[in-house]
Amino acid sequence: MIQVRELTKVHGDTVAVDRLTFDVTPGVVTGFLGPNGSGKSTTLRLIVGLDRPTSGRATIGGRALRDLAAPMHEVGVLLDARAAPAGLRARQHLAWLARAGGVPARRVDEVLAEVGLADLGRRRVGGFSLGMLQRLGIAAALLGDPAVLILDEPVNGLDLDGVRWVRGLLRRCAAEGRTVVVSSHLLSEMDQTADEVLVLGRGRLLAHGSVTEITRAGAGTHIRVASPRAPELAAALRAAGASVTPAPDADGALLVTGMTAPAIGDLAAGRGFALHELTERRATLEDAFIELTDDTVEYQAVDRRVVNHQGTGHREVGRRGEKP
Amino acid sequence: MSRAPAAPPRWTATVAGEWLKLRAMRGTLVIACLGPILGTALCVLLAVAVGLESDGWSEQDRAEFDPVLFPLVSGIVSGVLLVVLGVRAGACEYRAGLVRLTLTVTPRRGRVLLAKIVVIAVASWVGFTAVTALAALAAQPVFHAYGLPYVTNADLAAGSEVRTLAAAIGLAPVFPLIGLALAVLTRSAAGALTSVLALLFAPAIAGGLLPAWWAAHVLSYLPGPASDSLSLTGSDDAGFLSPGVAVPVVAAWLALFLGAACRCLQRRDA
């Protein structure tokens, strides 16, 4: 159980984390979502006691990480897979961690096998691909068989096989009753992996709930209807109070909101309209996320036309200025 | 999920972990190989140079030649390499963010620094002693060939040589530990190495340029000259401190650097 209360971190003028309050419960996979610079990693660093909060507090099992007697048994952390020293062999890296954390040395081989690096224990970390580094980092987090697992972007650099493996691992850890926190900017991944989602934007908590709750709340859930008598159907649906727009792919289909699929089907049957398609399109987590974080995105690409136009303008001003 | 509560790791586990980490680094192996080879080579070359010159020595010169302390010249090499080791023990944490892993495994930051201090101090004592002993063994046949006295027939009972030798070995960790502290403070190997080597060699250079008063009253209190006062013979000369002053001065410098590093490590966001 992770408890975060009014957690705030200010770097100079920037509020990196702004009065966050939430609980992370055991037994489910909790996803941390947010655009770049939204405070995901800072929050995770605050939770594991690496950064000192400006105000507020974060506790794991009721205590700050610094006060835990055997932190490796209680919290397994992967913050940056690239932190492993390049000159060390994989086994040596896990061996010093195990020794310092008071974990029996046999765990080293166990976790190496668990993450699929059993044959690479003698290879130097410097020669590892990002995917292999992620597996090594996850191995390090699992060393102490911890009750809480905190993984920052664990699927970055993993191939499809690796992604599926991480997904299975997280689900299994949650099923064993552990608290599992995983951050990612890969929404489709979170959609499939996380049960609970925390959405951050500019350091603030924008949404917290189950994936279904968040996607249901998001706009973009609609019903797609195709009928040979589309114009008449559209008029009938509007008369019944639904809002109807033509589908963007211009094949004559309609997108309907404000009415359920069975109601549309019944209405069409009542009027004798044939239906060729009636599909509910639930908003994806991505749609919900874009809607939630739209005005909090830190680094937004600017429309190129605007930039070019402004650039030209500046040059003209400059030229005019040079000439007396 | 119910699990038996695990016993918290003791501070010795942190020391063992830091030792395993430092030992596994490739640079440590290079230092462990280079130290004895270069230290011994330097000592033997200087022994040959001394031997060639000894033809023109008077009886008094011959009597004053000290084969016991001569191998300490190897300390120039082993000393610098141990400083590099100390700097690496601190800087390795900051190159790729290893410190974040280290501090989540051992959240008590003072304990992490203490473990590094123990590892570097022991490595310095062992390394310095081993290189000096190897250099002594290698230099003896050279002295013998030139008809100079050598350890087996020199008088060890006199005491002053043994005291100086013990002081030199005892002080071996001072600059490696200052290097460790500076690496933690600056989070950079290059910055720390430059500062500690400047601290080590600048007083000797500045001493020649500044008035004698400065050398006696200011430079002699810097960590280099203060530890030299204990580990070099002829320390009655101007610019050296008496042991009663030098020991607290060296201890104060170590406490200042390591204390600053500890405070910085505890307060800084990792």
Side-chain angles (χ1 to χ4, degrees):
Chain A
M1 173 81 146
I2 299 173
Q3 288 187 315
V4 171
R5 293 289 174 271
E6 290 287 310
L7 194 65
T8 303
K9 179 70 180 178
V10 181
H11 295 296
D13 297 338
T14 336
V15 183
V17 172
D18 193 359
R19 286 166 296 152
L20 284 187
T21 296
F22 59 84
D23 289 345
V24 179
T25 46
V28 290
V29 176
T30 303
F32 242 57
L33 293 177
N36 293 338
S38 59
K40 298 189 296 287
S41 295
T42 308
T43 308
L44 294 183
R45 281 208 304 275
L46 288 165
I47 291 173
V48 298
L50 289 173
D51 288 7
R52 201 180 279 273
T54 307
S55 63
R57 60 192 252 108
T59 54
I60 298 170
R63 283 172 301 166
L65 185 86
R66 281 185 187 215
D67 304 330
L68 294 181
M72 229 183 172
H73 293 281
E74 307 197 37
V75 191
V77 184
L78 165 64
L79 289 183
D80 182 2
R82 294 184 198 81
L88 265 59
R89 300 174 198 280
R91 188 190 302 273
Q92 289 175 323
H93 178 55
L94 295 175
W96 81 259
L97 283 168
R99 194 72 183 83
V103 171
R106 64 177 162 75
R107 282 291 294 158
V108 170
D109 286 323
E110 287 175 17
V111 292
L112 274 173
E114 192 169 350
V115 302
L117 293 178
D119 299 334
L120 302 177
R122 291 196 48 77
R123 285 264 296 274
R124 291 202 191 272
V125 172
F128 275 20
S129 67
L130 181 55
M132 286 148 85
L133 286 173
Q134 292 283 18
R135 286 173 185 265
L136 182 64
I138 293 170
L142 294 174
L143 258 183
D145 191 19
V148 176
L149 206 53
I150 297 177
L151 308 174
D152 195 4
E153 302 272 4
V155 300
N156 269 13
L158 284 177
D159 55 15
L160 191 61
D161 194 42
V163 172
R164 291 170 67 94
W165 167 72
V166 170
R167 203 182 290 157
L169 175 83
L170 297 176
R171 303 223 67 88
R172 198 172 68 243
C173 285
E176 287 165 358
R178 298 176 214 257
T179 306
V180 181
V181 176
V182 53
S183 88
S184 181
H185 63 271
L186 297 174
L187 291 147
S188 51
E189 183 48 41
M190 283 292 108
D191 216 347
Q192 297 189 53
T193 313
D195 307 299
E196 294 264 321
V197 184
L198 286 149
V199 184
L200 297 190
R202 291 205 178 162
R204 287 195 306 274
L205 187 62
L206 301 178
H208 181 191
S210 72
V211 173
T212 13
E213 277 166 16
I214 287 184
T215 49
R216 194 176 293 147
T221 300
H222 62 258
I223 294 146
R224 188 182 154 94
V225 188
S227 169
R229 296 170 66 184
E232 293 154 85
L233 178 62
L237 288 170
R238 283 201 188 93
S243 96
V244 181
T245 49
D249 42 11
D251 58 355
L254 306 170
L255 304 183
V256 183
T257 53
M259 218 168 160
T260 62
I264 297 170
D266 291 348
L267 186 144
R271 306 284 172 93
F273 298 150
L275 287 186
H276 291 178
E277 184 185 349
L278 180 64
T279 27
E280 188 176 69
R281 296 277 163 91
R282 173 159 293 178
T284 59
L285 188 57
E286 187 167 320
D287 299 326
F289 175 82
I290 296 291
E291 194 191 333
L292 281 165
T293 61
D294 202 21
D295 49 346
T296 67
V297 174
E298 188 94 343
Y299 310 105
Q300 198 148 30
V302 182
D303 190 324
R304 255 178 68 185
R305 271 177 310 132
V306 178
V307 172
N308 285 342
H309 176 73
Q310 284 176 340
T312 320
H314 280 300
R315 233 177 290 134
E316 278 168 2
V317 170
R319 256 191 239 125
R320 254 185 254 128
E322 282 159 24
K323 288 183 181 170
Chain B
M1 195 171 68
S2 66
R3 292 172 313 138
R10 295 160 58 85
W11 72 273
T12 46
T14 316
V15 173
E18 286 301 323
W19 162 242
L20 286 180
K21 190 199 300 182
L22 188 67
R23 196 187 65 177
M25 301 215 167
R26 260 187 293 190
T28 310
L29 185 68
V30 175
I31 289 171
C33 293
L34 276 184
I37 294 170
L38 293 182
T40 310
L42 177 73
C43 187
V44 168
L45 279 175
L46 286 174
V48 169
V50 167
L52 288 173
E53 211 165 88
S54 66
D55 285 349
W57 282 7
S58 64
E59 274 308 304
Q60 202 196 342
D61 287 339
R62 229 162 245 280
E64 278 179 2
F65 175 72
D66 193 335
V68 178
L69 296 182
F70 189 84
L72 286 178
V73 294
S74 66
I76 297 172
V77 171
S78 55
V80 168
L81 288 177
L82 287 168
V83 166
V84 174
L85 190 71
V87 166
R88 285 178 59 87
C92 72
E93 300 287 345
Y94 296 102
R95 195 164 43 198
L98 179 61
V99 67
R100 290 196 274 276
L101 196 51
T102 304
L103 295 182
T104 44
V105 175
T106 312
R108 294 191 185 148
R109 301 182 177 194
R111 184 190 266 198
V112 172
L113 186 64
L114 178 72
K116 285 184 186 287
I117 290 171
V118 170
V119 168
I120 291 301
V122 173
S124 300
W125 282 317
V126 172
F128 189 89
T129 310
V131 172
T132 309
L134 275 176
L137 281 177
Q140 295 316 311
V142 179
F143 294 148
H144 188 65
Y146 287 102
L148 290 166
Y150 53 100
V151 175
T152 43
N153 56 23
D155 184 15
L156 278 175
S160 92
E161 277 122 348
V162 175
R163 210 178 308 129
T164 307
L165 203 58
I169 292 169
L171 289 167
V174 170
F175 277 91
L177 289 180
I178 291 177
L180 167 67
L182 285 169
V184 171
L185 286 167
T186 61
R187 290 188 266 192
S188 130
L193 202 55
T194 314
S195 332
V196 73
L197 290 180
L199 202 59
L200 195 55
F201 294 117
I205 299 164
L209 304 172
L210 292 169
W213 185 91
W214 272 82
H217 293 95
V218 179
L219 295 183
S220 60
Y221 288 90
L222 290 174
S227 53
D228 283 351
S229 309
L230 295 164
S231 62
L232 289 186
T233 45
S235 46
D236 311 327
D237 304 356
F240 282 123
L241 304 172
S242 70
V245 179
V247 170
V249 166
V250 172
W253 278 111
L254 264 185
L256 176 75
F257 279 107
L258 292 173
C262 188
R263 191 181 154 87
C264 181
L265 189 65
Q266 301 225 345
R267 300 195 145 208
R268 193 163 55 195
D269 287 345

